[in-house]
Amino acid sequence: MTLKEKEISNLQPRVVSPSESTRMVETIVGCKWSLTVFQLLAQDINRPGEMVRHVEGLTTKVLNQCLKRNVEFGILAKISYPEIPPRVEYHVTTFGNKFMTILDALKELQQEIEAQ
């Protein structure tokens, strides 16, 4: 074995791509508005129009993208009512409640870091 081959064999194995759960956390936490949406839902503000009215700077387009991602991951459930005008509400799923524990842990960690 040559010196070059030894150097190559001593390299660490390649890191595999993140698992689905890791990608989900990165996507949700990386979205500026996801945590705000979860806070609104905790206050029983579950209709998109209400959400936009309650948060300065939040646009309908960005909110819809955020809500869509959360529904795709199974964190939120979308309920459409067959009314005129149409009414849509979002609710946290059972899985979403479990996911929120991760976000709560991150919030606690941030508070500890800020306290130091």
Side-chain angles (χ1 to χ4, degrees):
M1 186 179 272
T2 67
L3 181 60
K4 186 84 165 172
E5 289 172 337
K6 285 181 184 177
E7 287 177 11
I8 292 173
S9 66
N10 289 335
L11 293 176
Q12 296 293 325
R14 295 187 86 185
V15 177
V16 292
S17 63
S19 65
E20 185 67 21
S21 60
T22 304
R23 189 175 70 80
M24 178 177 44
V25 171
E26 288 174 342
T27 301
I28 299 305
V29 173
C31 174
K32 173 181 175 179
W33 297 107
S34 287
L35 300 178
T36 303
V37 168
F38 299 146
Q39 289 173 346
L40 292 170
L41 290 170
Q43 298 170 17
D44 289 329
I45 300 171
N46 54 7
R47 296 181 65 191
E50 286 180 280
M51 291 178 183
V52 170
R53 283 190 293 277
H54 275 84
V55 180
E56 189 175 327
L58 179 60
T59 65
T60 303
K61 178 183 176 184
V62 172
L63 175 63
N64 287 335
Q65 290 172 343
C66 177
L67 292 169
K68 182 179 177 184
R69 256 187 257 120
N70 280 282
V71 169
E72 288 172 354
F73 283 125
I75 296 169
L76 300 179
K78 177 181 179 180
I79 301 171
S80 299
Y81 295 93
E83 300 172 350
I84 297 179
R87 180 169 57 115
V88 175
E89 293 181 353
Y90 290 87
H91 299 279
V92 179
T93 63
T94 304
F95 171 73
N97 285 322
K98 292 178 186 175
F99 182 77
M100 298 297 176
T101 60
I102 295 169
L103 299 178
D104 291 339
L106 287 172
K107 188 189 304 182
E108 288 175 21
L109 180 61
Q110 182 62 38
Q111 290 171 347
E112 286 180 27
I113 290 170
E114 290 172 357
Q116 293 178 355

